[in-house]
Structures are given as C-alpha cells and as structure tokens.
Amino acid sequence: MPISGARVLIDLGHLRTNVATIAHRTGVPLLAVVKADAYGLGIEQVTDAIRDLVAGWCVFRLDEAITGRLYERTGKRTLALGPAEPQRVVHYQQHRVTPSVATVEAARALRIVEPALNVDLGMQRFACPPDQVEAVLSAGDCHEAFAHATRPEQAQQLKCMLGGRGLMLHAAGSSLLEYPEAWLGAVRPGLAMYVGCVRVTAPLIEVRDSAGPTGYSGFRGRRHGVILVGYSNGLRKGPCLINGTPSRILEVGMQSAYVDLSDISARPGDEVLLLGDTLWVPDIAREWQTSPQEVLVNLVRSGPREYVG
Ligand SMILES: *Cc1c(COP(=O)(O)O)cnc(C)c1O
C-alpha cells in the first residue's frame, strides 16, 4: 500500500442539510455559488447533491458552466458572475448561462440572452458604476440586477436604486445571510453551504523524541510527528487535532510537515485532523490571516476526495 498523505472526506448529506436550512430560513430563491469547482468540493458531485433544493447556480466564468454541464445535468440556469464575454452569445444561449454586464457595449451585444446587470457598490472591479446603471439596463433589456455586497446597507442601496421595477434583485453572499434586509429577491451563498462538509486528515508516518533543534527553522519541542502534506498541498502552520487533543503544525515543507506531540501520546498511523469536527475554517483562517474561503479551497485540494452521504 502506498504511504498516504491527506485524505479529504466530503459529506454531501451535510451539504444538503446546509442548503435546505438556508433556503428555508431565507424563503427566497437560492442561487448556489459553485465557482472554482464548488470551492474545491467538486462541481459535479455538489450540483448533483443539491439540484432539487436550488433555483440555479453561480459560477465566475462561462466555461465553468459548460465544463460542468450544469444545465444539461440539472436543468437549471447559471449566472456567470465575472466579466461578460460579449462574443460568446451562442454559448450563453446553448448552456442557459446568464452573463453579468457592466457596460452598454456588453449589454447591447448580449441583449438576446437577457443579461444581468452587475452594479458596483464599492468593489470597483468588473461592475457598473451607479451613474451608468440606467443606460446599461436599457441597452441589455435586463430583468435581473445584483451587487457584490459586503455590508447589509449595500443591499438596501441596490433596492433603493432599482426596486419596484419588476427586476429580480440580489446581493447577499454568505456573510449577509444573517441580515434579512439583505436577502431581496434571492441569496447567493458559497461558503455557508460548505460549512462542516469537509474533513481532512493525514496519518502520522513518524513519531520521534526530538533531539535538539529540528527542521529548517530549528524549532524546539520534546516530541514531534511527521505527516505527508506540505505547502504544495496548500497546508500552512496552524492548528490541528491529534487523537482529539488540540496541537500545532509547527513547520511546513514542500510535501511534509511537522506536528507537535510534546503533550500528546500518539503512534504512527494515528490521524492528524487538519480540518473538520471542532476545527473549522474560521479558526484556521484567523491563524493563517486569510479568508475562510481561501482556507477551504486550499485544504479541500490537499488530497484525493472521497464522498459520503
Ligand atoms: C463568490 C461570490 C459569492 C459567494 O461568496 P461567499 O462569501 O462564499 O458566500 C457571492 N456573490 C459573488 C458576486 C461572488 O463572487
């Protein structure tokens, strides 16, 4: 048997529960964000698991919807959140993908596929400045408008700007699900659907009493273990759990890492938990000083995926 690195377990039953809970709580159509291969969980498996619970999908690029065969497999449309590709009208049409437009030229070129207007309320990238909203709306004959909002006030701003005209409006990703005033006509969660669905472990392949300064950095401890997951697999220094006890990833190499066993009794073959159970992405994100989304996509890609549920 080959020596093993990270093992990534994805619980599709838990994913369904999360999505059903969000849909029930908000009571508005749910556009599931499955960009970047469903945050690394696997776009085909994820969309198969929740297709009956959602109104549609969001990806970043048109090609993600085509490669994932989203319409063909699920019968639901996709909104492409990133910059529009005005020359590809036929592809949008064939694969039931709604482009997001931010300029009059793009809106005019894509009018036949009913583009959605992407309103810039602060992100200042591939979206339409408020003073051009009317021109783009009429050039594209848009029936849908959205904003990438980070605060509930921005959702209200979108509603003030475009409400009461029969447009489908949406603004809320995961961080705004707590704010009913941000839900508008639909919600667009990514991360919140995937919370608690991923478990990443790696077995200890060595356990040693430390003999002086160890590794590249010369860290000091009484005992350490080694796992075959490194920075090339997306791992960084930070928390982990070993046999239920909190511990630390002390140093990370290209394809292996040291874990602290100074106060833990462990043997080769015991599992080091890198993500899951009581160790969830926000805890790790705080230590990595990055977003929970980045932690998730890094760790979910650290080894071969297996699915349950
Ligand atoms: C990625 C993305 C989302 C989902 O973000 P989460 O914070 O992961 O829920 C929603 N809207 C837009 C425009 C996005 O790009």
Side-chain angles (χ1 to χ4, degrees):
M1 216 175 104
I3 48 172
S4 56
R7 185 171 165 217
V8 177
L9 202 65
I10 297 173
D11 185 341
L12 296 172
H14 195 97
L15 173 74
R16 272 187 72 81
T17 304
N18 286 349
V19 173
T21 304
I22 298 167
H24 180 77
R25 182 152 61 93
T26 60
V28 295
L30 192 154
L31 301 172
V33 180
V34 294
K35 65 191 179 191
D37 198 27
Y39 290 39
L41 278 73
I43 193 167
E44 295 208 4
Q45 292 85 348
V46 163
T47 52
D48 274 346
I50 60 173
R51 67 213 224 182
D52 58 319
L53 302 173
V54 307
W57 313 108
C58 295
V59 296
F60 189 73
R61 306 174 66 109
L62 169 61
D63 280 332
E64 296 178 81
I66 298 176
T67 311
R69 304 180 54 251
L70 293 187
Y71 182 69
E72 293 82 346
R73 290 191 305 100
T74 72
K76 306 226 161 136
R77 68 116 182 185
T78 300
L79 170 64
L81 300 163
E85 299 176 69
Q87 309 80 16
R88 301 184 64 190
V89 187
V90 177
H91 289 128
Y92 285 111
Q93 201 161 33
Q94 262 175 6
H95 300 277
R96 303 295 193 283
V97 179
T98 306
S100 303
V101 292
T103 64
V104 167
E105 299 72 54
R108 198 176 285 140
L110 293 166
R111 185 182 174 98
I112 185 173
V113 289
E114 298 189 7
L117 168 69
N118 182 0
V119 182
D120 193 344
L121 295 178
M123 293 300 278
Q124 303 177 57
R125 60 174 196 203
F126 47 80
C128 179
D131 65 340
Q132 288 155 44
V133 156
E134 294 303 331
V136 177
L137 271 180
S138 69
D141 189 24
C142 302
H143 301 299
E144 178 176 359
F146 72 96
H148 196 158
T150 54
R151 293 172 284 114
E153 306 86 80
Q154 293 172 317
Q156 284 301 304
Q157 231 178 311
L158 184 70
K159 189 175 162 188
C160 288
M161 199 182 288
L162 296 171
R165 299 159 55 159
L167 292 165
M168 181 194 187
L169 299 180
H170 47 93
S174 299
S175 65
L176 296 186
L177 292 177
E178 305 302 313
Y179 303 92
E181 71 270 30
W183 298 341
L184 309 180
V187 289
R188 289 190 320 261
L191 186 71
M193 301 194 299
Y194 308 119
V195 169
C197 298
V198 182
R199 191 181 150 87
V200 181
T201 57
L204 288 168
I205 60 137
E206 291 186 10
V207 169
R208 293 171 185 255
D209 291 323
S210 313
T214 309
Y216 291 100
S217 58
F219 66 83
R220 289 168 184 279
R222 290 188 301 283
R223 250 166 99 70
H224 64 261
V226 176
I227 56 173
L228 298 185
V229 188
Y231 49 73
S232 68
N233 313 107
L235 187 64
R236 297 184 204 167
K237 279 201 279 194
C240 63
L241 281 173
I242 302 169
N243 295 335
T245 307
S247 182
R248 309 272 318 160
I249 311 289
L250 295 169
E251 185 181 287
V252 181
M254 181 74 89
Q255 287 159 296
S256 67
Y258 294 95
V259 299
D260 189 8
L261 297 177
S262 296
D263 300 309
I264 293 173
S265 90
R267 292 181 306 185
D270 287 357
E271 294 289 333
V272 177
L273 183 74
L274 302 174
L275 175 64
D277 297 350
T278 57
L279 181 62
W280 182 235
V281 284
D283 313 321
I284 302 170
R286 220 168 297 119
E287 298 226 16
W288 288 15
Q289 299 190 5
T290 184
S291 68
Q293 286 87 345
E294 186 176 342
V295 171
L296 178 61
V297 300
N298 267 24
L299 290 180
V300 79
R301 292 196 168 109
S302 61
R305 297 181 301 218
E306 294 166 49
Y307 294 88
V308 291

